[in-house]
Amino acid sequence: MRADELLQAIGEVDEVLIERAAKKDRSHLVRWGALAAMLMLVIGLSLFVFRDVKQDETAKPQTMSDIRMAFLTSDPYDRELQEHIMQYEQLSCTTYSPEIDSLDDRVKAIERAIGDGCNVVFCNGYEYAGALLEIADEYPDVKLIGMNISNDDLYWSGSYDFSQPKPENILQELELNNVLCVSYQNEIAGYLAGYVAVREGYHSLGYYCDMMVPQTIDYGNGYLLGAQAAAQEMQKTDEVIVKVSSYGMFASGEASPILKEINLWHQGGTQLVLAVGPLTLNAAEELPMTVIAAANHPQQAQSPLIYLKQDTIIVVEQLMEELLSDRFEGGKLCEVPYHQLSDADGDWSFQSVTQKECRSVLQELIDGTRTCPKYDYLQEENYSIHVIFE
């Protein structure tokens, strides 16, 4: 399907969803449909990501029994990803975990998997970036896949000399041809969330994450740039305020301090928050305000959670196709904009932004006519709206 046909199809599908939501009287969901359509459109336009490998006539197709996979993760919210991998019949896939949360133990866990005969190691989470760099040279015949690992994650992992200028592709720089890293373009997802929130009428926003790392910085940066773009279009730059904060750690710790801080934001007028990270998501369940949750699993919550989800199905399917066709190509950094946005029931629709406007914004982000630059840090001088760092 060509891009223009897909654009038209997305519009037609979403109109049906809007009508269905209206019949169900889900008024609090109406404002989010167009954004869902945009994010689904990204999925359709991006299927080429893993398909740029040159056709190799000598490639020998494999069977599932040829693949002995190890799965390692540090993300408690990745059950969906693991389930997609496990659904393949006859695939041998064993889960391994480091004994403690350290680089050395992550390396040992990968070595344990390889020692058990695994020829494909699938690591999920930026924490594994350093372990992949440490171990790749020692096991050139083992295919190493890093999910949610970007070039920035590799650079700041502690296993690369970051006193040197950052290369565009560290894997190619180090000639690690058995490593493939996949990261989501979280800045695009954040941009669309911020853009539509402001266009919908929210002017007092918040961004909260567990800890500032490259992935959460991308979410936050996109969110601020999207809100800024919408404010500029509406000539309300002086009216939009975004508070930004982080807890300082992932996964471990109490969510109550986060809940307390965001509740203070709400009492001060904050209307909507983008929440990123396990602890922040736990706090989001109890927030008395609209929350966009960067999570893959619906949760019970007091607030109307809108889920900004990574679409793991497409990524896993394409990776498995490359493995089975024996056309796996390492040394690559793949950035994929696969995201979906919906409520817990899977219903959505939108009110203030037209389908045509939404499709136009997304297409401009994809073709580069609308820019969403990436920054290493969130800094007030990068934005024209009022950003408060707390």
Side-chain angles (χ1 to χ4, degrees), residues 38-318:
M38 289 192 294
L39 293 169
M40 290 173 66
L41 172 59
V42 176
I43 295 171
L45 291 177
S46 304
L47 291 176
F48 62 86
V49 173
F50 296 109
R51 301 183 188 277
D52 60 351
V53 181
K54 294 180 180 179
Q55 296 297 314
D56 182 1
E57 297 299 329
T58 64
K60 299 178 181 179
Q62 301 188 84
T63 64
M64 285 294 177
S65 59
D66 295 322
I67 300 174
R68 296 178 299 281
M69 183 179 290
F71 183 85
L72 298 93
T73 185
S74 54
D75 185 354
Y77 286 89
D78 73 347
R79 293 188 305 275
E80 187 175 83
L81 175 62
Q82 189 171 7
E83 288 169 2
H84 293 329
I85 294 173
M86 295 296 191
Q87 74 179 356
Y88 287 88
E89 295 183 3
Q90 299 180 338
L91 173 64
S92 172
C93 183
T94 306
T95 301
Y96 292 82
S97 300
E99 293 183 5
I100 59 175
D101 187 22
S102 71
L103 173 61
D104 286 344
D105 271 64
R106 284 188 283 272
V107 169
K108 290 177 182 177
I110 296 175
E111 289 179 330
R112 191 163 62 251
I114 296 173
D116 289 344
C118 294
N119 54 14
V120 177
V121 179
F122 195 112
C123 300
N124 182 47
Y126 78 95
E127 297 92 339
Y128 283 93
L132 292 179
L133 293 182
E134 294 279 343
I135 210 165
D137 273 338
E138 297 181 33
Y139 302 95
D141 295 329
V142 177
K143 298 177 177 66
L144 303 172
I145 300 172
M147 179 67 76
N148 285 302
I149 296 177
S150 67
N151 198 53
D152 284 340
D153 295 323
L154 295 169
Y155 183 70
W156 295 107
S157 66
S159 297
Y160 185 83
D161 183 7
F162 55 80
S163 66
Q164 301 297 318
K166 181 172 60 178
E168 291 186 5
N169 185 333
I170 287 177
L171 299 180
Q172 288 185 358
E173 178 78 10
L174 299 178
E175 299 182 351
L176 302 180
N177 296 320
N178 58 330
V179 183
L180 169 67
C181 289
V182 182
S183 62
Y184 288 86
Q185 289 179 276
N186 296 323
E187 67 276 9
I188 288 182
Y191 186 103
L192 294 173
Y195 181 86
V196 174
V198 172
R199 286 296 303 271
E200 184 62 8
Y202 294 101
H203 59 84
S204 184
L205 310 178
Y207 175 68
Y208 205 103
C209 64
D210 286 10
M211 185 167 64
M212 289 294 179
V213 295
Q215 293 177 15
T216 60
I217 289 172
D218 287 344
Y219 270 119
N221 176 58
Y223 186 60
L224 293 170
L225 290 173
Q228 172 180 288
Q232 290 172 340
E233 292 176 10
M234 301 169 71
Q235 298 184 341
K236 294 185 176 181
T237 303
D238 294 337
E239 299 177 24
V240 175
I241 300 173
V242 186
K243 293 183 178 180
V244 176
S245 189
S246 66
Y247 185 55
M249 64 178 67
F250 269 121
S252 60
E254 293 291 331
S256 54
I258 299 173
L259 179 61
K260 181 179 179 180
E261 184 170 359
I262 301 179
N263 266 321
L264 288 175
W265 286 2
H266 178 60
Q267 293 170 17
T270 301
Q271 303 161 300
L272 178 147
V273 169
L274 173 59
V276 179
L279 283 176
T280 306
L281 293 172
N282 288 339
E285 299 175 18
E286 302 180 42
L287 291 173
M289 60 194 300
T290 303
V291 178
I292 301 177
N296 289 341
H297 298 280
Q299 299 162 264
Q300 298 296 321
Q302 295 181 25
S303 57
L305 292 186
I306 311 300
Y307 290 95
L308 191 59
K309 301 187 295 183
Q310 297 174 343
D311 195 314
T312 57
I313 297 177
I314 292 177
V315 175
V316 170
E317 286 180 350
Q318 293 189 46

